[in-house]
């Protein structure tokens, strides 16, 4: 017996400026092959539908931001949350060049409490390694960043996920990607009300080596979200597959809320 999909199960066709569509398609297509594009980018189309409202926390240079902007389309919105000034300027310029009017760049960090924070930005041969910058609040050590010979500090505004959701007036939030170098629990704790209200899918980088500087473990993140009714998956062999724990060889994990309304 063939069951016809319900109307809400059928995503609307995507549209948007041609440059953004081309970049989005290229990023998803290259993801399984290019070392500088995380393989999970290829799986975003199974999670993010047209009209989705997304947050890219720790957006850096926008590999996720512009993939999400293409998938969400003109009816959706992507908020690129990036505390470092250089990448934030790049994101703003790139969004304009691609015609990505559904992208808004917010120069700030997310954490457990609002305020002003200090990020440690490591340097390699005098050049900044933006992807390894971390918020020093709550960190007892540099963790794996001891591999870098030098670092400089950068001051940035800090919001919580809950305060950001209130500021932006969200009536929905469908997807959150967060790469915050070990501060995942702080983001979750600062967004408990938002996660409970909107039940967005979460794509989190989870590594013990980064979590340790905040006194946390990978299992702590997985257990916290399991207690909140989230199911954990990992992208393997071009499919999202159930995961019972964080494993070596996988950095990014998708959490979906049981019974969440995946509107499109």
């Amino acid at each position: 017996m063939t069951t016809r999909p319900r109307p809400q199960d059928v995503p609307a066709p995507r549209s948007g400026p041609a440059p953004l569509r081309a970049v989005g398609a290229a990023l998803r297509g290259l993801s399984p092959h290019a070392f500088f594009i995380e393989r999970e980018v290829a799986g975003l189309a199974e999670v993010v539908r047209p009209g989705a409202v997304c947050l890219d926390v720790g957006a850096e240079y926008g590999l996720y931001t512009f993939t999400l902007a293409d998938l969400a389309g003109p009816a959706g919105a992507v908020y690129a949350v990036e505390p470092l000034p250089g990448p934030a300027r790049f994101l703003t310029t790139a969004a304009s060049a691609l015609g990505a009017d559904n992208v808004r760049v917010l120069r700030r960090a997310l954490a457990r409490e609002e305020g002003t924070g200090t990020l440690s930005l490591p340097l390699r041969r005098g050049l900044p390694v933006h992807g390894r910058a971390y918020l020093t609040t709550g960190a007892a050590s540099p963790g794996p960043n001891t591999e870098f010979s030098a670092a400089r500090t950068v001051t940035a505004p800090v919001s919580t996920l809950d305060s950001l959701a209130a500021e932006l007036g969200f009536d929905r939030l469908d997807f959150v990607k967060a790469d915050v170098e070990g501060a995942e629990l702080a983001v979750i704790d600062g967004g408990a009300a938002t996660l409970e209200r909107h039940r967005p899918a979460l794509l989190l980088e989870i590594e013990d080596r980064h979590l340790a500087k905040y006194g946390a473990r990978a299992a702590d993140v997985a257990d916290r979200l399991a207690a909140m009714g989230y199911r954990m998956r990992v992208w393997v062999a071009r499919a999202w597959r159930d995961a019972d724990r964080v494993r070596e060889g996988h950095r990014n994990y998708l959490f979906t809320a049981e019974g969440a309304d995946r509107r499109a």
Side-chain angles (χ1 to χ4, degrees), residues 54 66 75 85 108 118 130 169-170 185 189 199 214 247 261:
C54 308
F66 297 117
R108 67 184 76 181
T118 299
H130 295 107
F170 285 157
L185 281 174
D189 289 346
R199 310 299 280 163
Y214 295 101
R247 299 174 182 270
D261 176 15

Side-chain angles (χ1 to χ4, degrees), residues 111-129:
R112 189 172 282 109
E113 297 178 350
E114 293 184 86
T116 299
T118 299
L119 291 106
S120 176
L121 175 61
L123 305 175
R124 180 183 285 127
R125 298 174 185 170
L127 298 176
V129 184

Side-chain angles (χ1 to χ4, degrees), residues 76-246:
V78 178
Y79 298 89
V81 181
E82 174 51 55
L84 298 173
R89 286 192 297 269
F90 175 87
L91 287 166
T92 300
T93 300
S96 177
L98 294 173
D101 295 335
N102 58 346
V103 171
R104 179 176 171 185
V105 180
L106 304 170
R107 194 194 155 228
R108 67 184 76 181
L110 291 190
R112 189 172 282 109
E113 297 178 350
E114 293 184 86
T116 299
T118 299
L119 291 106
S120 176
L121 175 61
L123 305 175
R124 180 183 285 127
R125 298 174 185 170
L127 298 176
V129 184
H130 295 107
R132 292 285 293 274
Y134 68 92
L135 195 63
T136 60
T137 304
S141 74
N145 279 17
T146 54
E147 70 180 88
F148 301 103
S149 60
R152 62 183 175 90
T153 58
V154 178
T155 302
V158 178
S159 298
T160 65
L161 176 54
D162 284 343
S163 66
L164 183 67
E167 173 190 335
L168 298 175
F170 285 157
D171 59 8
R172 66 183 288 178
L173 177 61
D174 301 284
F175 181 84
V176 178
K177 166 258 174 183
D179 181 352
V180 290
E181 298 300 291
E184 288 77 21
L185 281 174
V187 173
I188 293 168
D189 289 346
T194 299
L195 298 182
E196 178 62 28
R197 178 184 178 191
H198 297 294
R199 310 299 280 163
L202 310 171
L203 182 63
L204 305 180
E205 182 185 74
I206 306 176
E207 292 188 90
D208 274 321
R209 63 179 185 142
H210 295 303
L211 285 157
K213 63 178 173 278
Y214 295 101
R217 302 170 303 141
D220 297 332
V221 180
D223 290 348
R224 181 75 57 82
L225 288 169
M228 297 171 70
Y230 274 87
R231 174 184 179 188
M232 184 166 69
R233 295 185 176 95
V234 64
W235 183 253
V236 177
R238 302 192 180 190
W240 292 110
R241 305 183 187 276
D242 287 341
D244 60 352
R245 57 190 169 88
V246 174

